[in-house]
Amino acid sequence: MRIAHFSDSHISIQHPARLDDLRRAVDEVNASQPDLVIHTGDITHDAHVQEYQQAHAILESLHVPYFVIPGNRDQRAVLLPVFKKRLSTTGEYIQYTLEDFAVRILLLDTVSTASNKGQLCVERLAHAIAVLEQEDPRPLLVFMHHTPFDVMEIPDPFQFEDRAAVEKLTAAFGRCRNLRAIYCGHVHRNVQATIGHLPVSAITCMACDLRKGQLSEEDKTRPMYRILEW
Ligand SMILES: [Fe+2]
């Protein structure tokens, strides 16, 4: 099974070149035909409905199913009506599982309305832990916008509001025998780490002008996403 992981397209009325960054990635993915695409948030930069409509129009040209979760730049109330056919929600949150593939996938909503940092409220944490505790022999992957581990390359390494909530989540990660990996965005750079023995990583942003870290000249301008093989 092959999954294309997109993140941080930051579609912006002020920065129309980012439409092309997303469009070129969609064109490449359509040529390589993975089984599905997951976008881990910051779909838009300012959460204008027009930005969501532009992102949606490009993503709808994918030839394979795609799924999205929000990032801190997104607003659920604006995102949901535009992407409603592509989403299932848990209460007010855009947090759900994909059960119809060879690999199970848990998509977490880590957005806070109070800050740009990640949040795991009681409801979302309980849902995530319940999924992680389900007995199912298939491998499980988790996708989330914010990184639930310290990213030491940036000035403020911890990207959540509440470390205790993250520790509850990572403890549940540790108890889940079928969990294989955690995939994130948000930090606009490629990062690899581990939580215990579990591989955790973040990918850089699709928006070329917002990429951070050491990049080759080619990597500053080419479509950036990754193909995960499971
Ligand atoms: Fe973000």
Side-chain angles (χ1 to χ4, degrees), residues 8 10 41-42 71-73 116 145-146 185-188:
D8 295 83
H10 290 264
D42 283 359
N72 51 289
R73 305 290 309 203
N116 280 327
H145 183 71
H146 295 84
H186 183 58
V187 291
H188 293 202

Side-chain angles (χ1 to χ4, degrees), residues 97-149:
T97 58
L98 304 179
E99 301 281 359
D100 298 334
F101 297 97
V103 171
R104 294 174 75 216
I105 297 168
L106 170 60
L107 299 114
L108 298 183
D109 178 339
T110 57
V111 173
S112 167
T113 53
S115 79
N116 280 327
K117 288 211 159 185
Q119 184 188 67
L120 292 162
C121 64
V122 172
E123 183 180 344
R124 283 174 283 175
L125 191 56
H127 171 261
I129 290 171
V131 172
L132 290 161
E133 289 180 346
Q134 281 167 9
E135 288 290 334
D136 190 304
R138 289 175 294 173
L140 176 66
L141 306 175
V142 173
F143 290 78
M144 55 200 292
H145 183 71
H146 295 84
T147 44
F149 54 96

Side-chain angles (χ1 to χ4, degrees), residues 179-205:
L179 181 59
R180 297 288 187 270
I182 313 295
Y183 298 111
C184 310
H186 183 58
V187 291
H188 293 202
R189 65 189 72 221
N190 294 316
V191 182
Q192 313 263 7
T194 54
I195 299 176
H197 297 296
L198 183 69
V200 292
S201 58
I203 53 166
T204 193
C205 47

